[in-house]
Amino acid sequence: MTTVSREAFGRMPAEQGGGEVEKFILQSESVKVEILSLGCIIAALETKDRDGKFSDVVLGFDTLEGYTKKHPFFGAVVGRVANRIAKGRFTLDGKEYQLFLNNGPNSLHGGAKGFDKVLWSPQLLLDGVRFFRLSPDGEEGYPGDLKVWVTYTLSGRQLTINYRAQTSKTTPISLTNHAYFNLAGQGSPDVYDHEISIEADSYLPVDDTKIPTGEVAAVQGTGFDLRQPVELGKHLQKFHLDGFDHNFCLQQVQSPCLVARVCHPPTGRTMEVHTTQPGIQFYTGNNLDGSLKGKGGITYPKHSAFCLETQNWPDAVNKPHFPNVLLHPGEEYNSTTWLVFNTA
């Protein structure tokens, strides 16, 4: 059985529009997840270790104030387009669109005020919560009135995130959740002792601004070959990598696939990612620098978490040979990701 409850979490500052932020608590016998109506943020996710002890395995803040200040998208749904668009620019039907540049020369995760920074309208479900918002035509430079629904449901060990959208004009769309995980428990100093595997034969090399070059490169014989589990710290050392912030190319099928698995041997916690998306961005918290105080006043240093963001490929709107990222009027965007927590 899953129980669902709601409580007040705080009020947005007046300069950010005010408005009440609620927290929704979904709880099964093995997982407890707390989700905010601000940005559909996963603010906490508690799961058991092999001894049955619960720990919170996502980075974030204890109070609303942390989330209203600048932070690296902790736990949030990002959009309209997750990841980077080169020079914040794309052309549709002969018209050029210019987005806000918030990541060097590029647009990242929806721009200056993306889906992560707005209040969503919640609807309680028997086993979860559904959030809705209308992103108006022209918001952050994107065309079309876009209706978006994000639904979280919890069943036993499995958290399901479903994203749906409909548009009045053709628009690019790629939605994901940007939770930062540490299976040792949030606040643990690094994720070097985690073992990870990603079911991908190829990945996207990037330029020095993290935009894909256009090449779809084989992982074989490189540090990007994660098809067999690797211990993260040793793997980064072996291949002289500063960390990962790359899209791994998944099988392009409509049915859900197991695409990634992470295990933390000391606690026995495991996490599986299943998705219908064509890509997954593996990010190792390279830009965390200890300057943010998170839950319990703990700081989050570099490599203290990992993200596995299921999404379309970065900059797909400018690369015709990448999977289609355009949503047309009369169609529905519909994508689902399943996170399964267990112990080994």
Side-chain angles (χ1 to χ4, degrees):
M1 274 296 291
T2 299
T3 61
V4 182
S5 58
R6 69 201 296 177
E7 59 187 52
F9 190 66
R11 191 169 178 82
M12 291 295 285
E15 64 273 15
Q16 293 180 38
E20 296 293 337
V21 179
E22 282 189 288
K23 178 167 77 177
F24 296 84
I25 300 122
L26 320 183
Q27 188 159 10
S28 69
E29 66 285 350
S30 40
V31 176
K32 178 183 177 187
V33 59
E34 300 180 359
I35 305 157
L36 306 182
S37 56
L38 170 67
C40 307
I41 288 170
I42 295 176
L45 197 158
E46 295 181 20
T47 177
K48 290 179 182 175
D49 66 8
R50 68 165 65 88
D51 299 323
K53 177 176 169 280
F54 277 97
S55 284
D56 183 1
V57 297
V58 296
L59 276 54
F61 303 101
D62 289 322
T63 63
L64 178 59
E65 190 183 14
Y67 292 107
T68 59
K69 294 177 176 169
K70 188 171 168 54
H71 67 93
F73 305 96
F74 284 148
V77 165
V78 293
R80 286 186 194 191
V81 176
N83 217 307
R84 293 167 181 86
I85 294 178
K87 299 183 175 60
R89 207 177 291 156
F90 60 89
T91 301
L92 279 182
D93 303 324
K95 182 179 176 186
E96 186 175 272
Y97 293 87
Q98 179 64 56
L99 311 173
F100 186 82
L101 305 181
N102 62 333
N103 185 248
N106 306 314
S107 184
L108 174 70
H109 293 330
K113 190 178 181 182
F115 289 3
D116 58 298
K117 296 178 183 70
V118 293
L119 286 178
W120 293 63
S121 302
Q123 177 194 351
L124 279 189
L125 307 175
L126 285 175
D127 57 353
V129 58
R130 177 175 297 130
F131 297 100
F132 170 80
R133 82 172 296 251
L134 173 66
S135 171
D137 186 17
E139 182 174 64
E140 287 298 317
Y142 287 97
D145 286 329
L146 187 75
K147 293 178 179 172
V148 192
W149 297 264
V150 177
T151 306
Y152 292 90
T153 50
L154 181 64
S155 175
R157 302 176 184 278
Q158 177 174 289
L159 177 66
T160 304
I161 313 174
N162 173 258
Y163 309 89
R164 288 172 47 226
Q166 298 163 357
T167 186
S168 64
K169 294 179 186 171
T170 300
T171 187
I173 181 170
S174 172
L175 301 176
T176 193
N177 178 282
H178 207 312
Y180 286 68
F181 293 96
N182 186 321
L183 298 185
Q186 73 84 30
S188 300
D190 59 62
V191 288
Y192 297 144
D193 59 354
H194 288 52
E195 293 173 359
I196 182 154
S197 57
I198 297 178
E199 300 282 332
D201 296 329
S202 53
Y203 77 102
L204 300 181
V206 293
D207 67 17
D208 55 6
T209 73
K210 300 281 193 293
I211 293 289
T213 60
E215 179 191 1
V216 181
V219 299
Q220 182 79 36
T222 75
F224 295 88
D225 191 347
L226 304 176
R227 293 173 294 185
Q228 296 299 316
V230 302
E231 188 179 320
L232 197 52
K234 288 179 180 166
H235 185 81
L236 293 177
Q237 279 184 324
K238 177 183 175 183
F239 288 95
H240 306 292
L241 296 169
D242 185 48
F244 288 94
D245 191 2
H246 294 80
N247 178 82
F248 286 76
C249 308
L250 307 176
Q251 288 181 348
Q252 290 182 46
V253 290
Q254 291 305 302
S255 52
C257 290
L258 171 63
V259 296
R261 187 173 187 273
V262 187
C263 175
H264 183 245
T267 61
R269 284 194 187 92
T270 66
M271 176 175 124
E272 288 180 357
V273 183
H274 304 248
T275 192
T276 57
Q277 287 280 29
I280 188 165
Q281 186 85 3
F282 178 38
Y283 174 54
T284 49
N286 313 329
N287 297 322
L288 297 174
D289 59 6
S291 62
L292 284 176
K293 270 205 167 70
K295 299 173 200 172
I298 294 168
T299 56
Y300 296 137
K302 182 176 179 174
H303 296 164
S304 59
F306 66 88
C307 304
L308 287 165
E309 304 156 64
T310 55
Q311 56 188 248
N312 205 318
W313 299 4
D315 201 33
V317 71
N318 291 312
K319 297 196 166 55
H321 62 295
F322 282 10
N324 173 46
V325 72
L326 297 180
L327 178 67
H328 301 279
E331 299 174 347
E332 181 167 88
Y333 173 91
N334 193 333
S335 125
T336 308
T337 293
W338 296 261
L339 303 176
V340 184
F341 300 92
N342 229 316
T343 50

